[in-house]
Amino acid sequence: MRKITIVGAGGFVFPTRLCIDILSFPELRDSLIHLYDINPQVLAKSRKNIETVIERNRLPTKLESSTNRRKALDGANYVIIAFQVGGVTAYKPDVEIPRRYGLDQCVGDTLGPGGVFRHLRSAVAFNAIAKDMKALCPDAIMIQYANPMAMNCWGLNLQGIKVVGLCHSVQGTSWELVQALGLPYDEVTWKCAGINHQAWFTEFRHEGKDVYPQLRETLFKQLPSPLVVTGGRHPKMKTIRNRPATRWPWESVRVELMRSFGYFQTESPHHASEYTPWFRKNASTVKAYIPNRWDYYRICCGYQAAADAGALRKMCEGPLETSNEYGSRIIYGMETGNRQVVYGNVPNWGAPGSDPLKSPSHLITNLPRNCCVEVACLVDRNGVQPVVYGDLPDACAAINRSNIGVQELAVKGAMNGDRTLVHQAVALDPLTGALLTLPQIRKMVDEMFAAERRWLPQFN
């Protein structure tokens, strides 16, 4: 019986969604699912939800739960990560301290001061998990969902853990762009590669024809630059064929990036605005590109509201349907041999768990070989096999490299307990550098160290 361990299983919705995805495949229903969390109260709630799903559908699945990490990892075949160290309590200073300095991160979990400090907290937990996996389940593959994705996976790659990081931005954005083209989703092919939250769709084809020119024309017409055409006001989105191009009325961020650099990137517009210096310079620029305030910290504080509880109950009582998350598809492909294609975050030197000194690969050839990249991966009984992409368009690679430098310094700072590297990582963040002076950045980082000290034992 395969053992699937979920670390951070006390999450309100996501662990339950993952389990339903796994159980939607008849071939995986005879699994042992082990739920692990350090908080017994939230763990018990998740277990009850998943028990409801198993019992309601009369499945042969065996369910276990514990607050003992070694017990949870012992003999696991798959280890799914879905935690946030410190929860919203630790998240609060990630966003509130930089905001006092004039740096407004609408999410702050991937890059910048918020992303760097979230990684510093996460690294402690990941180091302990990696040590236990080497002892208790050395052949297991880790399916990693925790942000900051690239930094967390980079640190695990350096420890030799067989890890693939998963996001849902490729699935969601590809669907959105195909909708903008007005074409059937299953008739369009594309290529996408880069780093997590900043991968680039470099090709779109329909029946062999390049439809990227059509995509650019459509989006440029519907969303003109708000700083040029409308005098700083967010443009009213035009419709073509009685259909808006995108799901979000503030999609101007990614369209503006495509207008200058040629290609559409994967992460949502509000989030994408944090990774470059151009969209969050001041309140008026933010308002022009993102007219509706989006504050992920506040959203997280509001989880478990009545509406969320209703959605969770509906999910547990509904049919066993697979979502667009890739995690269950990886397990299904590895267990059955039925080939799957997913977009995963893997070492740029090759397959998850491979030795960089022995692997002959370089997946994205104009990005540093030691970084973590997001590329297409084939999954079957041989595991997760990333596809070599080659060179990204030069400008896309250059934007990626501006983020990769921050990631590398943050990872090394976390591994070595080196405050200087952390200061340097935040200083090199494109948005932070555009808004703050170096003395301001040093003071801000020191405040964040003081506020988050209890989650950062490697720096004490």
Side-chain angles (χ1 to χ4, degrees), residues 217-371:
E217 180 184 10
T218 298
L219 294 181
F220 292 165
K221 282 183 178 179
Q222 292 194 1
L223 287 167
S225 172
L227 298 183
V228 175
V229 177
T230 59
R233 298 187 308 277
H234 189 271
K236 183 177 181 181
M237 189 167 63
K238 301 175 183 178
T239 60
I240 295 177
R241 295 185 296 275
N242 298 317
R243 175 178 45 79
T246 63
R247 291 179 292 169
W248 299 295
W250 55 87
E251 193 56 83
S252 293
V253 170
R254 291 193 286 184
V255 173
E256 193 77 286
L257 285 168
M258 183 168 65
R259 190 175 280 114
S260 287
F261 300 105
Y263 299 93
F264 205 87
Q265 73 161 73
T266 50
E267 186 46 44
S268 53
H270 43 272
H271 216 346
S273 71
E274 297 181 314
Y275 311 144
T276 63
W278 303 302
F279 301 104
R280 308 191 71 82
K281 290 179 177 294
N282 49 56
S284 61
T285 304
V286 173
K287 188 72 173 177
Y289 282 99
I290 309 172
N292 300 320
R293 172 70 178 164
W294 203 89
D295 187 326
Y296 190 58
Y297 168 67
R298 293 296 173 192
I299 292 172
C300 289
C301 290
Y303 278 161
Q304 303 189 33
D308 297 310
L312 179 61
R313 183 171 57 254
K314 184 177 180 181
M315 183 194 303
C316 293
E317 295 175 355
L320 293 175
E321 295 178 341
T322 313
S323 73
N324 69 350
E325 299 292 347
Y326 286 136
S328 63
R329 290 174 168 84
I330 289 177
I331 300 173
Y332 172 75
M334 290 182 64
E335 290 293 316
T336 65
N338 291 321
R339 292 182 173 180
Q340 308 291 305
V341 175
V342 305
Y343 281 80
N345 292 270
V346 295
N348 200 20
W349 65 70
S354 62
D355 184 338
L357 299 178
K358 297 179 180 178
S359 171
S361 297
H362 191 165
L363 304 179
I364 300 180
T365 43
N366 55 352
L367 295 183
R369 190 169 180 266
N370 65 332
C371 76

Side-chain angles (χ1 to χ4, degrees), residues 34 67 118 125 135 166 220 237 299 308 367 381 384 386 443 451:
H34 191 112
T67 56
R118 184 179 287 230
L166 298 182
F220 292 165
M237 189 167 63
I299 292 172
D308 297 310
L367 295 183
R381 291 191 187 277
V384 177
K443 185 177 179 184

Side-chain angles (χ1 to χ4, degrees), residues 3-4 6 8-17 19-20 23 31-37 39-56 60-68 71-72 312 316:
K3 180 177 180 180
I4 304 167
I6 301 179
F12 186 60
V13 173
F14 194 57
T16 302
R17 177 69 265 171
C19 288
I20 292 174
L23 299 175
S31 300
L32 163 60
I33 296 177
H34 191 112
L35 309 176
Y36 164 71
D37 201 285
N39 184 325
Q41 285 75 37
V42 295
L43 180 62
K45 292 179 181 178
S46 287
R47 175 164 184 147
K48 183 177 180 181
N49 290 334
I50 298 163
E51 282 177 340
T52 298
V53 174
I54 292 171
E55 292 170 2
R56 183 175 179 276
T61 312
K62 184 177 180 181
L63 185 65
E64 296 178 347
S65 62
S66 74
T67 56
N68 183 306
K71 179 180 178 182
L312 179 61
C316 293

Side-chain angles (χ1 to χ4, degrees), residues 82 186 285 409 431 440:
D186 58 0
T285 304
L409 290 171
L431 179 60
Q440 287 175 317

